[in-house]
Amino acid sequence: ARTAEQTPSPSPVLTPAPAKRTSSEPAPRKKAKREVKVVKLRPRPRPGPFEMNLYRKGDFMHQATKDMCVAGSTQIMMNIIDRGKPNRSVAYQSRLYQRGRELSPNKAKLGAIGVDLTGWAELLNNRGFGPYVVESAETRRGAIRKAAKAIRQTGRPVGLVVWRGAHSWVMSGFTSTADPAHTNDFKVKAAYIQDTWYPSVSTIWGASNPPNTLVPVARLKEDYLPYNRPRANYPKRDGKFMLILPVLPGNTVAR
């Protein structure tokens, strides 16, 4: 057995001194703080009942064919956002439809006509009117609350996916018990709706309301129904109330 005297001492561990940075080497960069852009809302947030509507006379556009509801709704939304002279060109609507088809994923599900919800959102983003996202809610009132808050924060309209996903509306404004920018304790009473199908009449859904109709939320249950397409299943959409929702750009707050 090895004695204590025979046990070798451990070799010393040499720790190298930190290398000196030469004058030619750049100093480590500090992470720059991202500045938050603040958008001041007009009118200013305030207590009490609230109403706003972005629509102006002339913004409305009828869909040129039965397949072009998304293109017609997109054209209305663009006219509302762009405060210049409204674009009422049918040829432009046709180009929106074709581009929306190109931007729509999974055309096997979509079929030979129409524009997918993703295509609708991307069409607005592609044309510089975004950012827009495809959003959902479990209840109708929850969806309309989301829509009202988004309109108030962004100053842009919302797309509503109606007739179980077969048609599109534009929500341009609302009336509520309180200002969504002032409190989360608000209830939407009615929505200003632009239905690009007007003045046509659906054999299933009946006559459409004229442009800029203020529809009570209770009446929306006639048209704004949970998503359900007969051709295919959409697990993230089926049974939900779908919206094309405007959002604030990254690192931006509205108050």
Side-chain angles (χ1 to χ4, degrees), residues 60-210:
F60 182 80
M61 190 67 189
H62 172 66
Q63 62 187 79
T65 72
K66 63 182 180 61
D67 307 329
M68 293 190 186
C69 63
V70 166
S73 294
T74 300
Q75 197 167 7
I76 293 171
M77 295 169 84
M78 290 177 174
N79 285 342
I80 291 172
I81 297 168
D82 187 347
R83 306 313 283 178
K85 184 178 179 181
N87 185 327
R88 303 184 56 79
S89 167
V90 173
Y92 183 66
Q93 186 181 126
S94 181
R95 291 197 295 273
L96 288 176
Y97 175 73
Q98 294 301 329
R99 183 57 177 151
R101 290 279 299 173
E102 292 171 4
L103 292 168
S104 295
N106 208 342
K107 292 183 179 59
K109 277 190 174 184
L110 182 61
I113 60 173
V115 175
D116 181 73
L117 306 191
T118 300
W120 187 359
E122 288 306 312
L123 187 57
L124 287 156
N125 296 337
N126 189 260
R127 288 291 192 273
F129 291 87
Y132 273 86
V133 297
V134 178
E135 185 60 274
S136 66
E138 297 294 331
T139 66
R140 184 181 299 104
R141 286 194 176 275
I144 297 302
R145 271 179 57 89
K146 281 187 178 184
K149 198 168 187 70
I151 291 171
R152 179 67 168 115
Q153 287 184 330
T154 68
R156 287 179 276 136
V158 170
L160 298 182
V161 185
V162 299
W163 299 0
R164 299 195 184 280
H167 188 46
S168 60
W169 281 359
V170 176
M171 179 173 161
S172 61
F174 60 95
T175 64
S176 59
T177 57
D179 183 352
H182 181 74
T183 177
N184 281 324
D185 184 17
F186 70 93
K187 180 180 178 181
V188 182
K189 298 190 293 184
Y192 283 99
I193 299 297
Q194 321 301 329
D195 182 356
T196 187
W197 184 243
Y198 180 84
S200 300
V201 177
S202 168
T203 56
I204 300 173
W205 302 95
S208 295
N209 289 316

Side-chain angles (χ1 to χ4, degrees), residues 5-18:
E5 288 77 11
Q6 293 174 315
T7 303
S9 301
S11 301
V13 177
L14 300 178
T15 303

